[in-house]
Amino acid sequence: MFKIVKREEMAEGTVILNEIEAPLIAKKAKPGQFVILKANEDGERIPLTMADTDPENGTITIIYMVVGKSTALFKTLQVGDGFQDVIGPLGTPTHLEKLGKVVCVGGGTGVAVLHPITRGLKAVGNQVTCIIGARTKNLLIMEPQMKAASHDLKVCTDDGSYGHHGFVTDVLKEILEKGDVQLVVGIGPVPMMRAVANLTRPYNVKTLVSLNPIMIDGTGMCGGCRVTVGGKTKFACVDGPEFDGHEVDFNELMMRLQAYSEDEKKCYDEFCTLQNAT
Amino acid sequence: MEQVEKKGKKNQTPRTPMPEQDPNVRKRNFQEVPTGYTVEMAQAEAARCLQCKKPGCVAGCPVEVDIPGFITLITKGDLTGAIRHIWKKNALPAVCGRVCPQEIQCEGRCIVGKGGEAVAIGNLERFVADWEREHGTGEVPPKPASTGKKVAVVGSGPSGLTVAGDLIQKGHSVTVLEAFHKAGGVLVYGIPEFRLPKAIVANEVNFLERLGVDVEVNAVVGRTVSLDELFEQGYEAIYLGVGAGLPSFMNLPGENLIGILSANEYLTRANLMKAYLYPKTDTPIPKGKHVVVLGAGNVAMDAARTAMRLGAESVKIVYRRSRDEMPARKAEIHHAEEEGIEFFLLTNPTQFIGNDKGRLTSMECLKMELGEPDASGRRRPIPIEGSEFVMETDLVIVAVGSGANPLLTQSTPDMQLNKWGYIVADPETGKTTKKGVWAGGDIVTGAATVILAMGAGRKAADSIHEYLTWGW
Ligand SMILES: Cc1cc2nc3c(=O)[nH]c(=O)nc-3n(C[C@H](O)[C@H](O)[C@H](O)COP(=O)(O)OP(=O)(O)OC[C@H]3O[C@@H](n4cnc5c(N)ncnc54)[C@H](O)[C@@H]3O)c2cc1C
Ligand code: SF4
Ligand code: FES
């Protein structure tokens, strides 16, 4: 069992942080890599990108939004409980190199994924501006951590309840206009990543996105995670999860993410009914 | 029939049929199809063996099980003796009795089969192994003196399990590292419950654990740990039995529509993740109404029969060559036909068509005809011009083969691969070009069979033992 040593609820209980004992993974993991977790014997294998690792204490941190049966089940796990299986680190790590001026843009729980990448980019000597956003103030996560990970943090909310009133792309546009940006990393919901990629394209600024297709094994043996990048089929679990945002077929990704939506909704509703009954 | 009569009395008895679930019942459940011989049936079948002096069956068996030897023990009623006899050459008889292509191996060479039906060697092997599991003492052999040497086995398919079993019994300490959360390789994620009950595989793995093998799941070698790190941790020899786990696709337009899955994904969902029990279990699986399976090997048959059991209205096998070239075991093709699976032979897909939600709705195909033999010696299928037609389908399972997964080999640049990415290993010893590393099974030969993977494992285990005793 992989024991949970710390647990926090964020964003009004819709987002959960778990710090988990997984010494082998903690030692090996690099920014941009993910793990696959399975709660119990009959559980589903869920891929989540690591938000943090602590090689000394042998722990990894994951942050996830409760969206379906499996994440609702994860949410029931308390400190001292654990996951039956944690597999990783998987995926190709972020290529970290000194480029100069870099902007990291995160939306929703994508901010968690962005955290180690931002820190890594800063550590190799880049000048890192970070933009994070959420629908409203109470849904914003990891503001202090992102502040520490970057040189300059800008915060946006769609409803103006905190920071800049508007989308992360508004702020990104202002920065792009000033010029000199060498790299943009955009991680969040698919529509946000698509918007970021569309925005940077005319400026010709290289843009990395991190994709989250449906996965099973995470080792390249099933092809369930295939995405189209530059007209070619790639397996996100081994070739990614990061890809050139200007080459990704976001429409296909959006559709493929809906493959089991009906089944999942039914299963989630049943689980919630059962939970409320007990 | 006349010919058989000339050969003597024994041969007149027809082959003892294997009792099976009725096709119309079993096609909607996941219980095993054949239900197994009784002792009486097994003895009747065993009595058909002529006890040849130069048995063709043994020559046809890739690991040379002494077939007449164990069959005599069945006729004598010594079932414990019979299983011990098989174990000398084959560590997984309950598996092999069920999944080996006997018709081209032992049974294909059986003398009785020349004029009639071969002795049912596979059924007998299965019977003896099942008898042992149900009635045997389950006692493990005495532990040999420890050599103090540590061996790592990467991959827990039939090949890796064979190596682990052989080396632990020679006194070495053995750790099996498996990427998935459950051990067994294709035996657990690929081959379905109705053909190979998972309890049997679990039983074999459990037996190894009781012998002292340490099985570590969730260990992706190349990611969680590298080969060089394993050497640093004190392992002196490493065996790679990582299989051929890279799904091939057709590379046709529309292949990323929702409703097109590799057989690896479909079967992994169904078997390893137990999605056939969804929503009791948490992993969903697409349930097609009109299912098409591309390919005609064992994998294709397994996928087609799984789809039928998940409630499909129709299931079609679409294959570009003809019936004679279908690579699946005869029994599987026969079972599939009995269960109402339709065969569209000499047919090849050209594109997939979907709706505005990105979901598959149909597939366009071309009819083929057979031309001159190709490099594989089989007649090459060539398209018939203007023969396009459209097949309605909401689920396509691609079972057209698999390749070498580069995950581990990419992280080990100092080990030689062939041009398809398979590991180069000495066919006699399994030695790779990297010191202290052996390989065998599908990752060396390409997708093959359980018994060949086990055979390679046995040779490598002998070579590893020699190395640990005498050096490289
Ligand atoms: C659906 C299906 C049906 C089949 N039916 C038959 C049949 O009826 N008869 C027959 O004889 N053969 C059949 N085969 C073929 C047979 O199963 C294979 O030839 C055989 O299993 C190969 O054994 P192996 O030990 O080489 O590899 P596998 O059984 O493939 O096992 C490899 C194991 O290694 C693990 N692994 C891979 N990479 C890593 C890594 N980096 N780190 C750690 N672990 C790793 C995998 O997860 C897997 O568990 C079938 C195959 C399939 C897919
Ligand atoms: S070839 Fe057939 S008859 Fe001869 S020993 Fe083998 S099983 Fe018996
Ligand atoms: S998740 Fe199976 S290949 Fe990527």
Side-chain angles (χ1 to χ4, degrees):
Chain A
M1 190 185 74
F2 296 78
K3 206 159 91 187
I4 297 174
V5 295
K6 187 171 144 200
R7 179 183 183 282
E8 264 175 44
E9 297 201 358
M10 310 165 138
E12 301 177 330
T14 59
V15 176
I16 310 293
L17 174 150
N18 282 165
E19 190 176 332
I20 305 164
E21 267 175 14
L24 290 179
I25 301 174
K27 204 169 77 190
K28 272 284 177 117
K30 297 205 176 72
Q33 288 190 300
F34 65 97
V35 288
I36 285 185
L37 303 102
K38 182 167 149 297
N40 55 29
E41 183 60 29
D42 290 336
E44 196 179 1
R45 290 169 65 103
I46 300 287
L48 289 170
T49 304
M50 286 170 273
D52 212 344
T53 52
D54 183 341
E56 272 88 66
N57 289 316
T59 63
I60 60 168
T61 301
I62 50 154
I63 293 182
Y64 58 90
M65 196 182 320
V66 180
V67 286
K69 153 113 195 239
S70 292
T71 41
L73 178 69
F74 285 6
K75 186 181 171 179
T76 63
L77 300 173
Q78 303 298 325
V79 171
D81 299 343
F83 293 85
Q84 183 171 313
D85 302 289
V86 180
I87 302 111
L90 300 170
T92 306
T94 313
H95 177 69
L96 298 171
E97 102 186 274
K98 183 169 173 180
L99 296 162
K101 205 165 145 188
V102 171
V103 186
C104 294
V105 190
T109 45
V111 175
V113 177
L114 194 63
H115 177 242
I117 300 170
T118 309
R119 197 169 47 189
L121 285 168
K122 186 178 168 188
V124 296
N126 290 293
Q127 177 64 33
V128 185
T129 304
C130 185
I131 314 168
I132 61 172
R135 228 171 47 241
T136 182
K137 184 181 177 201
N138 295 346
L139 297 181
L140 199 69
I141 62 167
M142 296 187 84
E143 189 189 348
Q145 290 93 325
M146 293 314 279
K147 204 176 177 103
S150 58
H151 293 99
D152 182 19
L153 176 73
K154 301 192 186 303
V155 181
C156 320
T157 51
D158 298 0
D159 65 355
S161 52
Y162 185 62
H164 171 83
H165 184 174
F167 300 121
V168 285
T169 39
D170 305 339
V171 181
L172 175 61
K173 191 171 166 57
E174 278 170 31
I175 300 174
L176 288 169
E177 280 298 328
K178 286 183 203 142
D180 228 27
V181 176
Q182 300 302 314
L183 174 73
V184 170
V185 184
I187 305 178
V190 181
M192 183 215 109
M193 291 194 284
R194 180 170 49 192
V196 168
N198 285 342
L199 179 63
T200 57
R201 191 174 282 116
Y203 294 92
N204 237 330
V205 176
K206 184 165 181 206
T207 301
L208 284 179
V209 293
S210 179
L211 308 186
N212 56 341
I214 294 170
M215 294 188 186
I216 298 267
D217 54 298
T219 60
M221 66 75 67
C222 79
C225 62
R226 56 200 198 278
V227 289
T228 301
V229 182
K232 291 204 179 72
T233 295
K234 301 272 175 189
F235 289 2
C237 69
V238 285
D239 301 323
E242 275 163 36
F243 292 101
D244 179 346
H246 295 153
E247 300 278 343
V248 170
D249 184 341
F250 287 106
N251 290 343
E252 181 187 275
L253 175 65
M254 293 264 265
M255 288 199 273
R256 286 184 64 81
L257 282 168
Q258 296 303 312
Y260 299 98
S261 53
E262 276 169 41
D263 281 341
E264 272 163 7
K265 183 161 183 335
K266 230 175 93 204
C267 197
Y268 181 40
D269 291 347
E270 274 170 30
F271 181 77
C272 294
T273 320
L274 221 100
Q275 277 237 300
N276 293 338
T278 52
Chain B
M1 284 318 272
E2 256 172 73
Q3 235 187 332
V4 180
E5 268 160 41
K6 272 188 233 149
K7 285 228 172 82
K9 211 161 159 272
K10 274 187 177 172
N11 303 354
Q12 289 172 5
T13 351
R15 180 169 158 129
T16 315
M18 172 61 104
E20 287 171 354
Q21 276 195 72
D22 181 86
N24 283 317
V25 175
R26 73 177 192 235
K27 72 185 218 191
R28 300 298 192 195
N29 72 44
F30 278 85
Q31 269 113 56
E32 197 178 5
V33 168
T35 50
Y37 279 168
T38 60
V39 180
E40 294 71 33
M41 288 174 184
Q43 289 195 321
E45 186 57 25
R48 295 180 67 231
C49 171
L50 301 179
Q51 293 296 318
C52 305
K53 283 267 149 355
K54 274 195 188 153
C57 55
V58 178
C61 173
V63 298
E64 295 171 347
V65 169
D66 174 13
I67 293 162
F70 92 79
I71 290 183
T72 316
L73 290 163
I74 298 179
T75 46
K76 289 188 185 143
D78 180 5
L79 299 180
T80 306
I83 188 72
R84 302 256 126 108
H85 206 64
I86 298 176
W87 275 342
K88 285 182 200 154
K89 295 284 184 178
N90 182 335
L92 305 170
V95 174
C96 291
R98 287 171 166 84
V99 307
C100 274
Q102 285 94 4
E103 72 269 15
I104 56 166
Q105 295 177 174
C106 53
E107 293 180 20
R109 302 271 201 99
C110 171
I111 192 79
V112 182
K114 296 284 185 279
E117 287 177 298
V119 173
I121 302 167
N123 291 350
L124 290 174
E125 182 183 24
R126 168 195 159 135
F127 163 77
V128 176
D130 287 358
W131 187 89
E132 166 67 18
R133 200 173 58 253
E134 281 152 28
H135 306 279
T137 58
E139 210 179 295
V140 293
K143 231 184 162 68
S146 166
T147 61
K149 309 264 183 190
K150 277 168 67 176
V151 182
V153 173
V154 184
S156 63
S159 194
L161 293 181
T162 302
V163 173
D166 281 8
L167 291 178
I168 196 87
Q169 295 186 61
K170 296 226 160 83
H172 307 299
S173 128
V174 182
T175 305
V176 176
L177 301 155
E178 167 57 46
F180 266 130
H181 57 267
K182 196 164 266 155
V186 168
L187 309 181
V188 295
Y189 80 71
I191 304 181
E193 180 74 18
F194 56 82
R195 202 147 75 80
L196 177 63
K198 298 308 142 223
I200 291 174
V201 185
N203 189 72
E204 299 295 352
V205 174
N206 180 262
F207 182 73
L208 290 181
E209 287 181 314
R210 286 194 291 134
L211 287 174
V213 173
D214 179 20
V215 179
E216 282 185 27
V217 293
N218 300 329
V220 186
V221 177
R223 292 274 201 237
T224 317
V225 64
S226 70
L227 294 188
D228 289 330
E229 284 166 335
L230 288 172
F231 283 126
E232 282 161 26
Q233 288 172 20
Y235 291 99
E236 291 181 51
I238 302 176
Y239 179 76
L240 305 176
V242 293
L246 183 77
S248 298
F249 284 93
M250 307 283 300
N251 295 319
L252 292 176
E255 201 161 20
N256 289 350
L257 288 165
I258 299 172
I260 304 174
L261 280 74
S262 73
N264 269 3
E265 177 178 1
Y266 186 72
L267 291 170
T268 301
R269 284 179 182 273
N271 302 323
L272 180 73
M273 305 312 296
K274 297 196 222 106
Y276 66 91
L277 299 172
Y278 184 88
K280 249 185 75 191
T281 52
D282 292 348
T283 306
I285 188 161
K287 292 199 171 114
K289 268 205 182 78
H290 300 288
V291 181
V292 169
V293 178
L294 304 176
N298 286 321
V299 184
M301 298 304 144
D302 284 346
R305 297 171 69 199
T306 299
M308 185 57 92
R309 280 160 175 77
L310 285 171
E313 282 170 27
S314 73
V315 181
K316 300 181 182 72
I317 294 263
V318 170
Y319 182 49
R320 66 196 178 107
R321 298 179 191 258
S322 72
R323 179 167 291 265
D324 290 342
E325 287 92 20
M326 296 206 292
R329 289 177 81 214
K330 286 279 172 314
E332 307 316 324
I333 298 172
H334 172 68
H335 280 148
E337 282 185 317
E338 278 187 338
E339 290 166 12
I341 305 222
E342 302 160 64
F343 288 75
F344 281 67
L345 305 173
L346 291 167
T347 306
N348 208 24
T350 47
Q351 65 165 316
F352 303 101
I353 301 153
N355 63 17
D356 59 350
K357 299 241 164 54
R359 280 180 195 268
L360 174 73
T361 54
S362 60
M363 178 175 91
E364 190 194 79
C365 301
L366 262 182
K367 290 247 166 70
M368 313 291 275
E369 61 190 353
L370 290 180
E372 296 299 309
D374 63 13
S376 71
R378 302 181 294 181
R379 290 178 65 192
R380 187 195 302 275
I382 39 181
I384 304 177
E385 239 174 90
S387 65
E388 288 90 351
F389 68 102
V390 170
M391 207 179 253
E392 192 199 326
T393 171
D394 55 349
L395 178 59
V396 165
I397 300 157
V398 186
V400 295
S402 56
N405 188 321
L407 187 89
L408 183 145
T409 49
Q410 260 170 10
S411 73
T412 317
D414 52 340
M415 184 171 61
Q416 201 190 330
L417 308 179
N418 71 15
K419 65 174 168 180
W420 298 283
Y422 293 107
I423 300 173
V424 174
D426 182 316
E428 284 315 308
T429 61
K431 277 182 182 173
T432 70
T433 55
K434 185 172 164 73
K435 186 167 178 238
V437 181
W438 283 253
D442 284 4
I443 188 57
V444 171
T445 57
T449 59
V450 170
I451 192 66
L452 289 174
M454 290 175 57
R458 168 125 317 161
K459 283 186 183 167
D462 288 345
S463 169
I464 292 172
H465 178 62
E466 200 183 288
Y467 167 71
L468 293 176
T469 319
W470 306 106
W472 184 250

